[in-house]
Amino acid sequence: MPKLIKNNAAQDNSWVTIADQEGLAKADLANGKYLVPLELWQQNTELHNANIGVWLNGDTNPSLLTQQLKSAPAIAIEFSAFADGRGFSLARILREDCDFSGELQATGEYMQDQLYYLKRCGFDAFAVPDDANIDSMLASLQDFTNNYQASHDEPRPLFRRR
């Protein structure tokens, strides 16, 4: 089973991604946990329950992120490349503007060196690649002990904390 780092601990990743309406029709939605694309989730209000989350591409238009997402149990943001920083911005918007408090998962092509910064932007779960060293990834979440800038996990900048 794929792995997930959530709240600084490794566990099985039980979320299954459904990419389209056809896959949705075949899924046993009463059992299991599913991530569906934002458009599909918005079009089908019956999907707004505790076991169906939202899957976003990194290029999702931020204006589509609304308070409606606040009710989703999980949101996964797909990074198409490690150099694509739009997922960081989407995470901050979800946490700060949409008041999203559920699981925020990073998936795709992010790098281990980005884990600490992803966490600072509000991610609390990370899909683990099959060939990754989980212990090393967990250690990367603690790369630094102090931060100068304000963020999701520490809203006061360093000069305000002294």
Side-chain angles (χ1 to χ4, degrees):
M1 175 169 269
K3 295 291 181 192
L4 183 75
I5 293 175
K6 182 177 178 184
N7 298 326
N8 300 320
Q11 59 183 289
D12 290 336
N13 186 357
S14 55
W15 290 100
V16 176
T17 302
I18 297 176
D20 55 25
Q21 189 72 40
E22 182 179 330
L24 186 63
K26 293 178 182 176
D28 178 12
L29 299 178
N31 297 305
K33 295 171 21 178
Y34 300 95
L35 295 167
V36 300
L38 176 62
E39 300 78 27
L40 204 56
W41 189 81
Q42 288 177 325
Q43 293 167 358
N44 299 286
T45 56
E46 70 274 11
L47 299 178
H48 298 194
N49 62 51
N51 66 334
I52 300 181
V54 178
W55 173 59
L56 303 173
N57 284 319
D59 64 351
T60 299
N61 184 341
S63 68
L64 297 175
L65 305 179
T66 66
Q67 290 281 329
Q68 184 185 30
L69 288 167
K70 189 175 176 179
S71 65
I75 297 176
I77 298 177
E78 174 88 23
F79 287 82
S80 60
F82 72 88
D84 186 354
R86 294 176 289 185
F88 290 84
S89 300
L90 292 174
R92 296 271 321 240
I93 291 168
L94 287 166
R95 291 292 191 201
E96 296 173 6
D97 298 343
C98 299
D99 298 323
F100 178 70
S101 61
E103 178 180 319
L104 188 54
Q105 186 183 126
T107 68
E109 300 298 321
Y110 66 87
M111 290 177 26
Q112 181 175 335
D113 291 347
Q114 296 173 315
L115 284 172
Y116 182 80
Y117 303 105
L118 289 165
K119 181 180 169 187
R120 294 211 69 217
C121 289
F123 286 97
D124 60 357
F126 310 91
V128 176
D130 292 337
D131 60 345
N133 179 328
I134 291 178
D135 291 332
S136 177
M137 290 181 74
L138 287 168
S140 291
L141 291 170
Q142 311 297 326
D143 277 348
F144 303 100
T145 56
N146 281 313
N147 306 294
Y148 292 109
Q149 298 87 11
S151 68
H152 169 71
D153 59 352
E154 176 53 67
R156 296 175 302 145
L158 181 62
F159 74 92
R160 295 263 184 216
R161 289 181 269 148
R162 290 187 171 198

